[in-house]
Amino acid sequence: MSARTQILASIRSHLAGCASAAPPAHRVPARGRPADVVATFIAEAERAQATVARLSSIAAIPQAVAAYLADHNIPATIRAAPHPVLDTVAWAEQPLLTVTRGRAAEADLNGLSVAVAGVAETGTLVLCSGPGSPTTLNFLPDNHLVVVRSADLVGAYEDALARIGEIYGPGTLPRAVNWVTGPSRTADIEQTLLMGAHGPRRLHILVVDDG
Amino acid sequence: MRSTIADFTANARKGIADKNLQAALSRLSEGFPMKRLEAISRLPEFKQLCDEAKQIKDHTLANLADYLEAYEEKATAAGAHVHWASDGADARDIILKICQDAGAKTVTKGKSMISEEVAINEHLSANGIEPIETDLGEYIIQLRDEPPSHIIAPAIHLSKEQVAETFRTEHTEFSADRILTEPRAMLDEARTVLRRRFVAADVGITGANMLIAETGSSVIVTNEGNGDLTQTLPNTHIVIASIEKVVPTLEAAATILRVLARSATGQDITVYTTFSTGPARPDDPDGPQNYHVVILDNGRSKMLGGEFHDMLRCIKCAACVNHCPVYKAIGGHAYGWVYSGPMGAVLVPGLRGLAEAHDLPAASTLCGKCQDVCPMGIPLPRMLRDWRTRDFDRGRPTAARFGLKTWAWLARHPRLYRLVTTIGTGVLMIFGGGRFRWLPLAGGWTKTRDLAAPEGGSFVGLWKRGER
Ligand code: SF4
C-alpha cells in the first residue's frame, strides 16, 4: 500500500464516528475597518519600523528614491522592478542615481518594488511575484523601497486577498505572495531585537496618491 | 534528532543548575508574555478570533483526509510534486532522493520543527549533502550540535558569550582578534556567512505553518527573511509539513495568522508571511524551478478521534511554553527532543510512545496556565492527565502519586464533549449563499454535511462539482 493510501485510510478510520464540526462564520476585526485607511496604514507600518514617504504622483518617485538614499548615506544605485508603473517615470531627472532593472543579484544594495496592496490593520505590504515583480527584490537588497498607490491601501487582509482574487482569478495565486511588515529582524541572541537579520535592514514605503 | 527523553530527570536537574540557562529563562518570562498581552490589548476581538481559529481547525480535522486530497489536487495543478510520508524514514528517503536528483551539494533550511522531528539533517549529512540551518537561532545550535530548546526561539538557552565563543570556533575565516561582544556584531557576521550559503545552495527546505486547500499553497511565517531566501534562491524548494497543517481557505488562514504571532512573540504579525504556490511560472524572473511538498503523518493520524485529537489543532505558537512554570524552571533541553513545554509533554508521548516519554506528562503542576493562553483552546492539562492515566494503566508506580483514579473518567470524556460542542456550533452556523469560500463551495454540501448525515455525499465529488 502506498504511503498516501495508508495515511488517508488511517485518518478516515480513526475519524470514523466523529461528528463533523461546522466551520465558523468569518470575522474581520474592527482594526481591519479603520476610518482612515491611509493614515492607519502609515501609522502601523511605522510601528513595525518601516519608514513612509507620501508622494503626490508617480512622477515624484525618482526624486524620492534619490533623496532617501542620500539622507541615509547609501550609494545612489537601485535595482528597480521591471514593473510597468516604473517604466513611466523619468529616471533621467536624477542623473546621479544609477538605475538598473530586473531581479535582484547578491551584490544589489537597494531594491525598488511595486506592491499590489497595503493592509492598514498591521501596516503590511502585499507583493505578488510575476514578470514585473521579482521576489528576490524583496529579500536580497539591504534597503528595500516599495511603491504602493494610496488607492491600493485597504483595511484588512481579506480586502487584499480579494484584490489578488480579482487579478488572478478566484482560488488562484501567483507563485509567491509576500506579506511584508517592516524590515527583517531577529531576537535570537539573548532576545535582543535587531533589524536586518537576513532580509532588508531598512524598509521604506512610498505611498503614491495619484497613480 | 536524537532523543534523550528517557533521561528527563537528570536533564531537568542539569537545567536547574545551569546559570546561563536560568538567566535566559528569566529573560524569556519577561519578554514574550508581556508582549503577548500588549498585542492582545490592541485587538479587542482576540478571544473571538481564537475561538474561530479553533473551530476552523476542528472542522478541518473532522474532514482531514478530504482537505488533504483537495490540497493535493490544487497544489499538483499548480505544478507541485506532492509526496506522502508515513513516518520519518519515508520522509528522509523522499527528501534525500529529491536532493540527489537535483545533484545537491548544499541545502539551506528554514526553521522547521518537523524536519527536526524526522532528523533530516543527520540523514543528508550521512549521504554527503551538507544541510545549513539559516534561522539565526537554528544556525547557532547547529554549529553547537544541540537540539532546539524552544520551538520558536531555538537558541533561547544561550548567552551572547556562548554564541560569540561558538562563532570564534566555527567562523575561522574572520580575524581572531575581531570584537564580538554585542549581538549586533554576531548577527552581522552570521548574515555575511549565511548570505554566501543562500546563494550557493542547490535545494532549500522549509517547513509550513499552513497548507491551504483552496489554492494549493504552503505558508511560512518568519521574521528574519531566511525562510524566503531559502525557498526563493535555490533551483529546488522542498516543503515538509505534517498532515494537520492544512486549512480550508485563505480567509481561514487570515484568522489563524491574526492569532498566531500575537500568541507567539507578541507581534501583530510576523515580518514575512509568504504564500508559495507551485514552482516558478514561465514568465517569472526568479523562484525555484521545482517545488516539492512532503506531507508527513508520523503518528498523527492515530491521534485523531481519541483523547489527544485536540492536540492536532496546535499551531506551534509556543504560548503554552512561554507561560509554563515547569518549562521556565528547567528549560527546553530537559524534555530531551524537539518539542518542549506543555505542548511537547502532550505531543511527544503521542509521536514516540509512552514507554519512552512517560516522564514528560508527569512534569506538570497542572496549573492550567497553558490552556488559558493557548489560542487554539487545547485542553493541555486534561490531556496531561490522560497520559498519566494511561501510564498508570501500564502499571508504572511513579504515576500513582498523582491520584490518577480521580481523572480516569476523563479518558472517555473528550469525544462526548466534542460531539456536544459540534452540535452547538452546527446549529449556530449560518451559511449565507457564497459568503464563505469554504472548500465545499456548494451550499448543498453544507446542508447535507453539517448536521444530519456525516456520511452523506462524497466530499471529493462535491468539491469537484463546485470546481466545475
Ligand atoms: S498547544 Fe496551544 S499554546 Fe501551545 S504551541 Fe500549540 S497552539 Fe500554541
Side-chain angles (χ1 to χ4, degrees):
Chain A
M1 204 182 353
S2 76
R4 181 182 188 281
T5 314
Q6 194 187 319
I7 293 168
L8 292 171
S10 172
I11 293 171
R12 290 200 163 97
S13 74
H14 283 93
L15 284 171
C18 286
S20 174
H26 187 76
R27 176 194 308 262
V28 176
R31 57 179 292 160
R33 297 279 170 259
D36 186 337
V37 169
V38 178
T40 307
F41 172 81
I42 292 173
E44 290 295 328
E46 288 175 343
R47 200 167 177 276
Q49 313 289 322
T51 52
V52 183
R54 200 155 173 186
L55 312 184
S56 57
S57 75
I58 296 274
I61 291 173
Q63 205 276 324
V65 169
Y68 178 79
L69 298 179
D71 285 351
H72 291 83
N73 255 326
I74 304 167
T77 65
I78 196 148
R79 179 83 71 179
H83 193 282
V85 162
L86 301 179
D87 290 344
T88 59
V89 303
W91 293 110
E93 283 172 11
Q94 297 295 324
L96 297 181
L97 180 66
T98 310
V99 181
T100 50
R101 307 290 296 275
R103 60 159 285 171
E106 192 192 351
D108 288 340
L109 206 49
N110 310 311
L112 177 65
S113 311
V114 179
V116 165
V119 182
E121 69 170 296
T122 46
T124 300
L125 292 164
V126 176
L127 296 118
C128 290
S129 66
S133 186
T135 309
T136 40
L137 278 177
N138 307 340
F139 299 102
L140 276 175
D142 272 12
N143 306 292
H144 190 205
L145 287 76
V146 183
V147 171
V148 62
R149 298 185 316 151
S150 47
D152 290 330
L153 298 180
V154 296
Y157 305 132
E158 286 79 354
D159 305 319
L161 293 171
R163 193 152 293 208
I164 293 172
E166 282 162 25
I167 303 171
Y168 297 91
T172 308
L173 294 181
R175 183 194 70 78
V177 176
N178 295 113
W179 293 6
V180 177
T181 312
S184 149
R185 70 200 61 187
T186 184
D188 273 350
I189 302 175
E190 290 197 349
Q191 300 225 290
T192 310
L193 181 65
L194 300 168
M195 296 298 130
H198 295 297
R201 299 170 191 271
R202 296 190 184 90
L203 177 69
H204 185 58
I205 304 171
L206 305 173
V207 174
V208 180
D209 284 332
D210 175 23
Chain B
M1 181 56 50
R2 59 188 179 276
S3 140
T4 60
I5 302 171
D7 305 328
F8 177 79
T9 316
N11 289 343
R13 276 210 193 94
K14 229 190 283 168
I16 292 169
D18 180 337
K19 282 206 191 70
N20 280 323
L21 175 67
Q22 292 301 321
L25 292 170
S26 66
R27 275 194 299 274
L28 170 85
S29 351
E30 288 151 24
F32 289 146
M34 297 280 285
K35 294 198 192 100
R36 172 181 171 275
L37 281 178
E38 196 193 324
I40 292 174
S41 74
R42 284 165 35 84
L43 182 66
E45 302 94 332
F46 181 75
K47 270 270 160 240
Q48 291 99 307
L49 289 166
C50 287
D51 231 51
E52 285 166 22
K54 169 186 175 295
Q55 291 172 48
I56 287 165
K57 280 285 192 178
D58 279 338
H59 166 78
T60 315
L61 289 175
N63 300 283
L64 186 59
D66 303 322
Y67 274 118
L68 284 169
E69 285 174 333
Y71 163 78
E72 180 187 38
E73 191 178 319
K74 270 295 199 177
T76 307
H81 301 280
V82 178
H83 311 260
W84 300 74
S86 294
D87 54 20
D90 275 5
R92 289 190 291 274
D93 289 348
I94 292 164
I95 291 172
L96 177 63
K97 171 96 172 44
I98 298 168
C99 292
Q100 285 171 337
D101 289 350
K105 291 191 185 63
T106 62
V107 171
T108 43
K109 290 187 66 217
K111 184 161 77 65
S112 154
M113 290 302 119
I114 304 293
S115 89
E116 297 271 6
E117 185 181 316
V118 304
I120 192 64
N121 288 3
E122 290 83 341
H123 193 59
L124 291 176
S125 300
N127 286 278
I129 297 169
E130 187 190 0
I132 301 131
E133 295 289 348
T134 63
D135 169 85
L136 182 61
E138 283 281 326
Y139 174 67
I140 294 167
I141 62 168
Q142 186 188 27
L143 291 180
R144 296 173 61 91
D145 195 23
E146 287 176 356
S149 67
H150 188 285
I151 52 170
I152 65 165
I156 190 107
H157 56 288
L158 296 172
S159 68
K160 61 183 181 186
E161 289 77 19
Q162 288 173 299
V163 175
E165 196 186 300
T166 303
F167 281 8
R168 283 193 191 284
T169 317
E170 300 289 331
H171 295 164
T172 46
E173 65 270 47
F174 295 92
S175 95
D177 55 3
R178 68 193 184 280
I179 295 168
L180 215 49
T181 47
E182 285 314 308
R184 177 83 253 169
M186 299 172 209
L187 169 60
D188 287 340
E189 186 168 306
R191 180 180 166 112
T192 308
V193 172
L194 284 170
R195 199 39 94 87
R196 286 178 227 139
R197 305 301 235 152
F198 281 124
V199 175
D202 308 294
V203 175
I205 301 178
T206 67
N209 292 83
M210 289 181 272
L211 302 174
I212 300 178
E214 180 187 16
T215 56
S217 313
S218 57
V219 182
I220 60 166
V221 304
T222 74
N223 280 316
E224 298 185 3
N226 65 305
D228 288 283
L229 289 168
T230 297
Q231 65 181 29
T232 305
L233 297 178
N235 213 24
T236 299
H237 174 203
I238 306 173
V239 179
I240 174 163
S242 47
I243 52 172
E244 82 285 9
K245 290 284 161 64
V246 70
V247 299
T249 62
L250 288 166
E251 261 188 2
T255 298
I256 289 171
L257 288 168
R258 284 195 180 101
V259 300
L260 174 56
R262 290 179 170 100
S263 299
T265 54
Q267 291 168 284
D268 296 327
I269 187 166
T270 49
V271 175
Y272 302 113
T273 301
T274 299
F275 303 73
S276 300
T277 314
R281 311 284 158 87
D283 53 359
D284 277 353
D286 49 22
Q289 291 304 309
N290 311 295
Y291 173 81
H292 297 265
V293 182
V294 182
I295 299 177
L296 175 76
D297 182 346
N298 211 24
R300 289 171 174 80
S301 63
K302 284 189 300 201
M303 293 168 72
L304 290 164
E307 303 111 288
F308 306 106
H309 176 107
D310 292 343
M311 192 61 220
L312 297 175
R313 286 202 301 266
C314 177
I315 54 173
K316 307 282 185 326
C317 70
C320 59
V321 182
N322 298 338
H323 290 79
C324 176
V326 175
Y327 177 92
K328 286 191 282 190
I330 64 177
H333 283 164
Y335 295 78
W337 194 49
V338 180
Y339 304 105
S340 54
M343 59 82 70
V346 172
L347 189 59
V348 175
L351 299 182
R352 297 190 64 105
L354 259 188
E356 183 183 359
H358 58 82
D359 275 340
L360 303 190
S364 165
T365 63
L366 300 182
C367 70
K369 192 71 191 158
C370 50
Q371 182 169 355
D372 289 350
V373 297
C374 176
M376 306 307 284
I378 298 176
L380 292 152
R382 192 267 294 158
M383 290 191 287
L384 290 168
R385 288 191 295 261
D386 283 351
W387 279 126
R388 290 177 183 185
T389 308
R390 283 206 187 182
D391 196 34
F392 182 79
D393 292 346
R394 291 165 68 236
R396 283 180 31 80
T398 50
R401 65 177 184 273
F402 294 104
L404 291 171
K405 286 204 167 129
T406 352
W407 302 107
W409 64 275
L410 272 170
R412 258 144 258 113
H413 184 65
R415 199 171 241 189
L416 180 68
Y417 170 79
R418 203 159 38 248
L419 189 69
V420 169
T421 53
T422 298
I423 291 169
T425 330
V427 172
L428 291 172
M429 195 56 208
I430 302 157
F431 276 89
R435 205 183 129 211
F436 301 105
R437 287 174 298 128
W438 290 85
L439 197 155
L441 303 167
W445 181 86
T446 54
K447 264 183 238 135
T448 53
R449 183 86 184 183
D450 271 348
L451 294 171
E455 71 280 26
S458 134
F459 182 96
V460 168
L462 288 155
W463 158 263
K464 285 190 174 138
R465 216 177 306 158
E467 280 283 87
R468 261 175 224 143

